[in-house]
């Protein structure tokens, strides 16, 4: 009996604790000015165990220096479909916040916080 339980536990190890597939291009929520971004989410170049996001396209943006900038970095997997302890840059106020993400199907809930105050967006898959 113990061998069967141990075999099941060992077989389940690669699945347990792995984050869902968040890689790909995501469309941010539309801002007050009608602007939105496409963000490519992938393993960080500095550490493939972490997740980063780079702006690849800007639509209706008032700034022309957004493409190529990191918007999320150092997100650590925290369960099957969530990431924590990362950082996010908000182009609208040019500030960086502690961040977390949660994958819900084709929606990525991204949240940034300062102290106890948080704001978030739902991003959708662009491809």
């Amino acid at each position: 009996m113990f061998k069967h339980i141990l075999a099941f536990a060992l077989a389940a190890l690669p699945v347990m604790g792995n984050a869902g597939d968040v890689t790909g291009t995501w469309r941010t929520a539309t801002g007050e000015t009608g602007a939105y971004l496409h963000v490519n989410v992938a393993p960080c170049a500095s550490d493939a165990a972490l997740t980063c996001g780079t702006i690849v396209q800007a639509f209706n943006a008032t700034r022309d220096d957004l493409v190529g900038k990191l918007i999320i970095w150092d997100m650590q997997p925290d369960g099957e479909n969530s990431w924590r302890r990362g950082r996010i840059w908000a182009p609208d106020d040019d500030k960086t916040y502690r961040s977390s993400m949660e994958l819900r199907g084709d929606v990525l809930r991204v949240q940034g916080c300062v102290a106890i105050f948080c704001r978030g967006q739902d991003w959708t898959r662009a491809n």
Side-chain angles (χ1 to χ4, degrees), residues 37-75:
L37 306 170
H38 278 183
V39 177
N40 184 50
V41 176
C44 296
S46 60
D47 184 345
L50 303 175
T51 300
C52 289
T54 304
I55 300 169
V56 293
Q57 266 187 300
F59 300 88
N60 303 322
T62 57
R63 296 176 57 167
D64 59 1
D65 65 339
L66 297 174
V67 174
K69 289 191 179 241
L70 274 177
I71 190 168
I72 37 180
W73 60 93
D74 294 344
M75 294 295 244

mmCIF file of all heavy atoms in Angstrom, residues 37-75:
data_model
loop_
_atom_site.group_PDB
_atom_site.id
_atom_site.type_symbol
_atom_site.label_atom_id
_atom_site.label_comp_id
_atom_site.label_asym_id
_atom_site.label_seq_id
_atom_site.Cartn_x
_atom_site.Cartn_y
_atom_site.Cartn_z
ATOM 1 N N LEU A 37 -1.629 48.192 -24.384
ATOM 2 C CA LEU A 37 -0.344 47.628 -24.771
ATOM 3 C C LEU A 37 -0.474 46.157 -25.104
ATOM 4 O O LEU A 37 -1.390 45.489 -24.624
ATOM 5 C CB LEU A 37 0.661 47.768 -23.617
ATOM 6 C CG LEU A 37 0.882 49.156 -23.045
ATOM 7 C CD1 LEU A 37 1.700 49.078 -21.762
ATOM 8 C CD2 LEU A 37 1.562 50.051 -24.065
ATOM 9 N N HIS A 38 0.465 45.652 -25.882
ATOM 10 C CA HIS A 38 0.672 44.229 -26.034
ATOM 11 C C HIS A 38 1.967 43.916 -25.305
ATOM 12 O O HIS A 38 2.998 44.562 -25.552
ATOM 13 C CB HIS A 38 0.766 43.823 -27.495
ATOM 14 C CG HIS A 38 -0.563 43.658 -28.140
ATOM 15 N ND1 HIS A 38 -0.699 43.244 -29.445
ATOM 16 C CD2 HIS A 38 -1.828 43.839 -27.680
ATOM 17 C CE1 HIS A 38 -1.992 43.177 -29.756
ATOM 18 N NE2 HIS A 38 -2.690 43.548 -28.701
ATOM 19 N N VAL A 39 1.902 42.943 -24.398
ATOM 20 C CA VAL A 39 3.033 42.578 -23.553
ATOM 21 C C VAL A 39 3.383 41.118 -23.809
ATOM 22 O O VAL A 39 2.513 40.247 -23.707
ATOM 23 C CB VAL A 39 2.678 42.788 -22.056
ATOM 24 C CG1 VAL A 39 3.816 42.332 -21.157
ATOM 25 C CG2 VAL A 39 2.301 44.239 -21.792
ATOM 26 N N ASN A 40 4.644 40.859 -24.145
ATOM 27 C CA ASN A 40 5.107 39.489 -24.321
ATOM 28 C C ASN A 40 5.590 38.972 -22.966
ATOM 29 O O ASN A 40 6.533 39.519 -22.387
ATOM 30 C CB ASN A 40 6.236 39.412 -25.348
ATOM 31 C CG ASN A 40 6.648 37.981 -25.599
ATOM 32 O OD1 ASN A 40 5.795 37.132 -25.845
ATOM 33 N ND2 ASN A 40 7.929 37.711 -25.517
ATOM 34 N N VAL A 41 4.932 37.941 -22.459
ATOM 35 C CA VAL A 41 5.271 37.346 -21.172
ATOM 36 C C VAL A 41 6.046 36.061 -21.440
ATOM 37 O O VAL A 41 5.610 35.211 -22.224
ATOM 38 C CB VAL A 41 4.002 37.078 -20.338
ATOM 39 C CG1 VAL A 41 4.341 36.362 -19.042
ATOM 40 C CG2 VAL A 41 3.269 38.386 -20.061
ATOM 41 N N ALA A 42 7.202 35.938 -20.775
ATOM 42 C CA ALA A 42 8.097 34.803 -21.005
ATOM 43 C C ALA A 42 9.029 34.665 -19.805
ATOM 44 O O ALA A 42 9.071 35.560 -18.947
ATOM 45 C CB ALA A 42 8.906 35.038 -22.274
ATOM 46 N N PRO A 43 9.793 33.579 -19.742
ATOM 47 C CA PRO A 43 10.795 33.473 -18.686
ATOM 48 C C PRO A 43 11.764 34.654 -18.759
ATOM 49 O O PRO A 43 12.106 35.128 -19.857
ATOM 50 C CB PRO A 43 11.506 32.157 -18.989
ATOM 51 C CG PRO A 43 10.499 31.345 -19.743
ATOM 52 C CD PRO A 43 9.739 32.359 -20.562
ATOM 53 N N CYS A 44 12.205 35.127 -17.610
ATOM 54 C CA CYS A 44 13.154 36.243 -17.564
ATOM 55 C C CYS A 44 14.493 35.816 -18.165
ATOM 56 O O CYS A 44 14.929 34.675 -17.987
ATOM 57 C CB CYS A 44 13.379 36.695 -16.122
ATOM 58 S SG CYS A 44 11.911 37.356 -15.314
ATOM 59 N N ALA A 45 15.137 36.717 -18.861
ATOM 60 C CA ALA A 45 16.448 36.435 -19.455
ATOM 61 C C ALA A 45 17.492 36.155 -18.380
ATOM 62 O O ALA A 45 18.362 35.316 -18.563
ATOM 63 C CB ALA A 45 16.885 37.603 -20.329
ATOM 64 N N SER A 46 17.377 36.822 -17.232
ATOM 65 C CA SER A 46 18.371 36.663 -16.164
ATOM 66 C C SER A 46 18.161 35.399 -15.336
ATOM 67 O O SER A 46 19.094 34.910 -14.717
ATOM 68 C CB SER A 46 18.343 37.880 -15.242
ATOM 69 O OG SER A 46 17.059 38.008 -14.657
ATOM 70 N N ASP A 47 16.928 34.881 -15.313
ATOM 71 C CA ASP A 47 16.613 33.685 -14.528
ATOM 72 C C ASP A 47 15.343 33.056 -15.095
ATOM 73 O O ASP A 47 14.240 33.565 -14.871
ATOM 74 C CB ASP A 47 16.416 34.050 -13.056
ATOM 75 C CG ASP A 47 16.182 32.849 -12.151
ATOM 76 O OD1 ASP A 47 15.893 31.738 -12.659
ATOM 77 O OD2 ASP A 47 16.286 33.015 -10.926
ATOM 78 N N ALA A 48 15.484 31.947 -15.800
ATOM 79 C CA ALA A 48 14.350 31.313 -16.486
ATOM 80 C C ALA A 48 13.302 30.770 -15.525
ATOM 81 O O ALA A 48 12.194 30.452 -15.943
ATOM 82 C CB ALA A 48 14.850 30.201 -17.400
ATOM 83 N N ALA A 49 13.595 30.692 -14.233
ATOM 84 C CA ALA A 49 12.608 30.243 -13.253
ATOM 85 C C ALA A 49 11.628 31.359 -12.904
ATOM 86 O O ALA A 49 10.582 31.112 -12.308
ATOM 87 C CB ALA A 49 13.302 29.744 -11.985
ATOM 88 N N LEU A 50 11.953 32.585 -13.285
ATOM 89 C CA LEU A 50 11.104 33.741 -13.022
ATOM 90 C C LEU A 50 10.417 34.166 -14.313
ATOM 91 O O LEU A 50 10.857 33.835 -15.407
ATOM 92 C CB LEU A 50 11.931 34.895 -12.461
ATOM 93 C CG LEU A 50 12.712 34.588 -11.194
ATOM 94 C CD1 LEU A 50 13.587 35.781 -10.806
ATOM 95 C CD2 LEU A 50 11.781 34.210 -10.052
ATOM 96 N N THR A 51 9.339 34.948 -14.184
ATOM 97 C CA THR A 51 8.565 35.391 -15.345
ATOM 98 C C THR A 51 8.675 36.902 -15.492
ATOM 99 O O THR A 51 8.581 37.642 -14.506
ATOM 100 C CB THR A 51 7.093 34.970 -15.184
ATOM 101 O OG1 THR A 51 7.050 33.543 -15.088
ATOM 102 C CG2 THR A 51 6.252 35.411 -16.356
ATOM 103 N N CYS A 52 8.857 37.345 -16.735
ATOM 104 C CA CYS A 52 8.959 38.766 -17.055
ATOM 105 C C CYS A 52 8.011 39.101 -18.202
ATOM 106 O O CYS A 52 7.539 38.215 -18.904
ATOM 107 C CB CYS A 52 10.387 39.113 -17.482
ATOM 108 S SG CYS A 52 11.591 39.086 -16.138
ATOM 109 N N GLY A 53 7.752 40.372 -18.386
ATOM 110 C CA GLY A 53 6.915 40.827 -19.491
ATOM 111 C C GLY A 53 7.500 42.077 -20.121
ATOM 112 O O GLY A 53 7.860 43.018 -19.415
ATOM 113 N N THR A 54 7.593 42.077 -21.448
ATOM 114 C CA THR A 54 8.155 43.201 -22.202
ATOM 115 C C THR A 54 7.092 43.762 -23.132
ATOM 116 O O THR A 54 6.377 43.014 -23.800
ATOM 117 C CB THR A 54 9.360 42.713 -23.046
ATOM 118 O OG1 THR A 54 10.302 42.088 -22.174
ATOM 119 C CG2 THR A 54 10.023 43.865 -23.766
ATOM 120 N N ILE A 55 6.990 45.071 -23.181
ATOM 121 C CA ILE A 55 6.045 45.737 -24.076
ATOM 122 C C ILE A 55 6.528 45.548 -25.514
ATOM 123 O O ILE A 55 7.662 45.908 -25.840
ATOM 124 C CB ILE A 55 5.915 47.231 -23.742
ATOM 125 C CG1 ILE A 55 5.407 47.405 -22.303
ATOM 126 C CG2 ILE A 55 4.994 47.939 -24.747
ATOM 127 C CD1 ILE A 55 5.488 48.834 -21.779
ATOM 128 N N VAL A 56 5.660 44.980 -26.364
ATOM 129 C CA VAL A 56 6.036 44.751 -27.764
ATOM 130 C C VAL A 56 5.268 45.660 -28.732
ATOM 131 O O VAL A 56 5.699 45.841 -29.867
ATOM 132 C CB VAL A 56 5.872 43.267 -28.172
ATOM 133 C CG1 VAL A 56 6.879 42.400 -27.438
ATOM 134 C CG2 VAL A 56 4.464 42.764 -27.949
ATOM 135 N N GLN A 57 4.141 46.217 -28.293
ATOM 136 C CA GLN A 57 3.382 47.165 -29.111
ATOM 137 C C GLN A 57 2.596 48.085 -28.199
ATOM 138 O O GLN A 57 2.127 47.663 -27.139
ATOM 139 C CB GLN A 57 2.390 46.447 -30.024
ATOM 140 C CG GLN A 57 2.927 46.161 -31.401
ATOM 141 C CD GLN A 57 1.832 45.600 -32.298
ATOM 142 O OE1 GLN A 57 1.268 44.547 -32.001
ATOM 143 N NE2 GLN A 57 1.543 46.281 -33.392
ATOM 144 N N ALA A 58 2.462 49.337 -28.626
ATOM 145 C CA ALA A 58 1.668 50.319 -27.897
ATOM 146 C C ALA A 58 0.629 50.896 -28.851
ATOM 147 O O ALA A 58 0.954 51.254 -29.984
ATOM 148 C CB ALA A 58 2.560 51.423 -27.346
ATOM 149 N N PHE A 59 -0.615 50.955 -28.404
ATOM 150 C CA PHE A 59 -1.720 51.450 -29.228
ATOM 151 C C PHE A 59 -2.317 52.693 -28.581
ATOM 152 O O PHE A 59 -2.632 52.678 -27.391
ATOM 153 C CB PHE A 59 -2.795 50.372 -29.363
ATOM 154 C CG PHE A 59 -2.296 49.110 -30.014
ATOM 155 C CD1 PHE A 59 -1.726 48.107 -29.249
ATOM 156 C CD2 PHE A 59 -2.385 48.936 -31.390
ATOM 157 C CE1 PHE A 59 -1.262 46.940 -29.838
ATOM 158 C CE2 PHE A 59 -1.921 47.777 -31.986
ATOM 159 C CZ PHE A 59 -1.350 46.783 -31.209
ATOM 160 N N ASN A 60 -2.460 53.760 -29.371
ATOM 161 C CA ASN A 60 -3.036 55.022 -28.905
ATOM 162 C C ASN A 60 -2.269 55.613 -27.725
ATOM 163 O O ASN A 60 -2.840 56.336 -26.907
ATOM 164 C CB ASN A 60 -4.513 54.854 -28.516
ATOM 165 C CG ASN A 60 -5.340 54.324 -29.650
ATOM 166 O OD1 ASN A 60 -5.138 54.690 -30.805
ATOM 167 N ND2 ASN A 60 -6.262 53.425 -29.342
ATOM 168 N N ALA A 61 -0.992 55.292 -27.629
ATOM 169 C CA ALA A 61 -0.179 55.770 -26.507
ATOM 170 C C ALA A 61 0.303 57.191 -26.769
ATOM 171 O O ALA A 61 0.563 57.570 -27.910
ATOM 172 C CB ALA A 61 1.008 54.846 -26.293
ATOM 173 N N THR A 62 0.425 57.963 -25.709
ATOM 174 C CA THR A 62 0.948 59.317 -25.828
ATOM 175 C C THR A 62 2.469 59.332 -25.719
ATOM 176 O O THR A 62 3.087 60.345 -26.004
ATOM 177 C CB THR A 62 0.349 60.223 -24.733
ATOM 178 O OG1 THR A 62 0.629 59.649 -23.454
ATOM 179 C CG2 THR A 62 -1.150 60.368 -24.912
ATOM 180 N N ARG A 63 3.049 58.217 -25.308
ATOM 181 C CA ARG A 63 4.509 58.093 -25.216
ATOM 182 C C ARG A 63 4.996 57.199 -26.344
ATOM 183 O O ARG A 63 4.362 56.207 -26.668
ATOM 184 C CB ARG A 63 4.903 57.463 -23.879
ATOM 185 C CG ARG A 63 4.540 58.316 -22.685
ATOM 186 C CD ARG A 63 4.865 57.624 -21.391
ATOM 187 N NE ARG A 63 6.280 57.246 -21.322
ATOM 188 C CZ ARG A 63 6.867 56.858 -20.215
ATOM 189 N NH1 ARG A 63 6.189 56.776 -19.091
ATOM 190 N NH2 ARG A 63 8.137 56.514 -20.212
ATOM 191 N N ASP A 64 6.141 57.540 -26.916
ATOM 192 C CA ASP A 64 6.684 56.725 -28.000
ATOM 193 C C ASP A 64 7.887 55.893 -27.557
ATOM 194 O O ASP A 64 8.540 55.260 -28.378
ATOM 195 C CB ASP A 64 7.040 57.596 -29.202
ATOM 196 C CG ASP A 64 8.055 58.675 -28.875
ATOM 197 O OD1 ASP A 64 8.519 58.752 -27.720
ATOM 198 O OD2 ASP A 64 8.390 59.460 -29.789
ATOM 199 N N ASP A 65 8.158 55.849 -26.267
ATOM 200 C CA ASP A 65 9.327 55.133 -25.759
ATOM 201 C C ASP A 65 8.957 53.854 -24.994
ATOM 202 O O ASP A 65 9.763 53.320 -24.245
ATOM 203 C CB ASP A 65 10.147 56.039 -24.848
ATOM 204 C CG ASP A 65 9.399 56.446 -23.583
ATOM 205 O OD1 ASP A 65 8.144 56.375 -23.570
ATOM 206 O OD2 ASP A 65 10.057 56.827 -22.602
ATOM 207 N N LEU A 66 7.757 53.342 -25.197
ATOM 208 C CA LEU A 66 7.294 52.196 -24.407
ATOM 209 C C LEU A 66 7.773 50.844 -24.942
ATOM 210 O O LEU A 66 8.078 49.942 -24.166
ATOM 211 C CB LEU A 66 5.763 52.197 -24.330
ATOM 212 C CG LEU A 66 5.138 53.392 -23.627
ATOM 213 C CD1 LEU A 66 3.612 53.332 -23.744
ATOM 214 C CD2 LEU A 66 5.559 53.440 -22.174
ATOM 215 N N VAL A 67 7.826 50.690 -26.258
ATOM 216 C CA VAL A 67 8.170 49.400 -26.858
ATOM 217 C C VAL A 67 9.589 48.996 -26.447
ATOM 218 O O VAL A 67 10.519 49.790 -26.515
ATOM 219 C CB VAL A 67 8.026 49.447 -28.388
ATOM 220 C CG1 VAL A 67 8.532 48.158 -29.026
ATOM 221 C CG2 VAL A 67 6.566 49.690 -28.774
ATOM 222 N N GLY A 68 9.695 47.761 -25.986
ATOM 223 C CA GLY A 68 10.982 47.223 -25.549
ATOM 224 C C GLY A 68 11.223 47.315 -24.059
ATOM 225 O O GLY A 68 12.171 46.727 -23.544
ATOM 226 N N LYS A 69 10.375 48.042 -23.353
ATOM 227 C CA LYS A 69 10.561 48.193 -21.902
ATOM 228 C C LYS A 69 9.954 47.021 -21.144
ATOM 229 O O LYS A 69 8.891 46.512 -21.508
ATOM 230 C CB LYS A 69 9.924 49.489 -21.410
ATOM 231 C CG LYS A 69 10.663 50.717 -21.849
ATOM 232 C CD LYS A 69 10.144 51.942 -21.121
ATOM 233 C CE LYS A 69 10.920 53.148 -21.573
ATOM 234 N NZ LYS A 69 11.630 53.785 -20.506
ATOM 235 N N LEU A 70 10.638 46.639 -20.063
ATOM 236 C CA LEU A 70 10.067 45.644 -19.152
ATOM 237 C C LEU A 70 8.927 46.289 -18.396
ATOM 238 O O LEU A 70 9.057 47.416 -17.912
ATOM 239 C CB LEU A 70 11.121 45.169 -18.142
ATOM 240 C CG LEU A 70 12.035 44.040 -18.565
ATOM 241 C CD1 LEU A 70 13.051 43.748 -17.464
ATOM 242 C CD2 LEU A 70 11.259 42.788 -18.886
ATOM 243 N N ILE A 71 7.812 45.596 -18.307
ATOM 244 C CA ILE A 71 6.678 46.090 -17.536
ATOM 245 C C ILE A 71 6.440 45.204 -16.313
ATOM 246 O O ILE A 71 5.966 45.678 -15.295
ATOM 247 C CB ILE A 71 5.414 46.232 -18.418
ATOM 248 C CG1 ILE A 71 4.309 46.976 -17.679
ATOM 249 C CG2 ILE A 71 4.956 44.893 -18.959
ATOM 250 C CD1 ILE A 71 3.142 47.407 -18.550
ATOM 251 N N ILE A 72 6.784 43.921 -16.414
ATOM 252 C CA ILE A 72 6.753 43.018 -15.253
ATOM 253 C C ILE A 72 8.067 42.245 -15.205
ATOM 254 O O ILE A 72 8.628 41.905 -16.233
ATOM 255 C CB ILE A 72 5.568 42.023 -15.265
ATOM 256 C CG1 ILE A 72 5.228 41.528 -16.647
ATOM 257 C CG2 ILE A 72 4.394 42.493 -14.530
ATOM 258 C CD1 ILE A 72 4.068 40.548 -16.689
ATOM 259 N N TRP A 73 8.544 41.995 -13.986
ATOM 260 C CA TRP A 73 9.775 41.220 -13.854
ATOM 261 C C TRP A 73 9.823 40.513 -12.502
ATOM 262 O O TRP A 73 9.140 40.882 -11.561
ATOM 263 C CB TRP A 73 11.020 42.084 -14.077
ATOM 264 C CG TRP A 73 11.193 43.228 -13.136
ATOM 265 C CD1 TRP A 73 11.894 43.233 -11.961
ATOM 266 C CD2 TRP A 73 10.673 44.554 -13.278
ATOM 267 N NE1 TRP A 73 11.842 44.471 -11.368
ATOM 268 C CE2 TRP A 73 11.095 45.306 -12.156
ATOM 269 C CE3 TRP A 73 9.887 45.176 -14.243
ATOM 270 C CZ2 TRP A 73 10.764 46.639 -11.982
ATOM 271 C CZ3 TRP A 73 9.551 46.501 -14.051
ATOM 272 C CH2 TRP A 73 9.989 47.217 -12.949
ATOM 273 N N ASP A 74 10.607 39.455 -12.516
ATOM 274 C CA ASP A 74 10.899 38.657 -11.313
ATOM 275 C C ASP A 74 9.677 38.048 -10.646
ATOM 276 O O ASP A 74 9.640 37.866 -9.429
ATOM 277 C CB ASP A 74 11.698 39.479 -10.294
ATOM 278 C CG ASP A 74 13.076 39.835 -10.810
ATOM 279 O OD1 ASP A 74 13.522 39.214 -11.791
ATOM 280 O OD2 ASP A 74 13.707 40.741 -10.236
ATOM 281 N N MET A 75 8.649 37.707 -11.440
ATOM 282 C CA MET A 75 7.477 37.040 -10.890
ATOM 283 C C MET A 75 7.833 35.591 -10.570
ATOM 284 O O MET A 75 8.345 34.877 -11.423
ATOM 285 C CB MET A 75 6.318 37.086 -11.881
ATOM 286 C CG MET A 75 5.812 38.482 -12.125
ATOM 287 S SD MET A 75 5.103 39.188 -10.651
ATOM 288 C CE MET A 75 3.451 39.369 -11.169
#
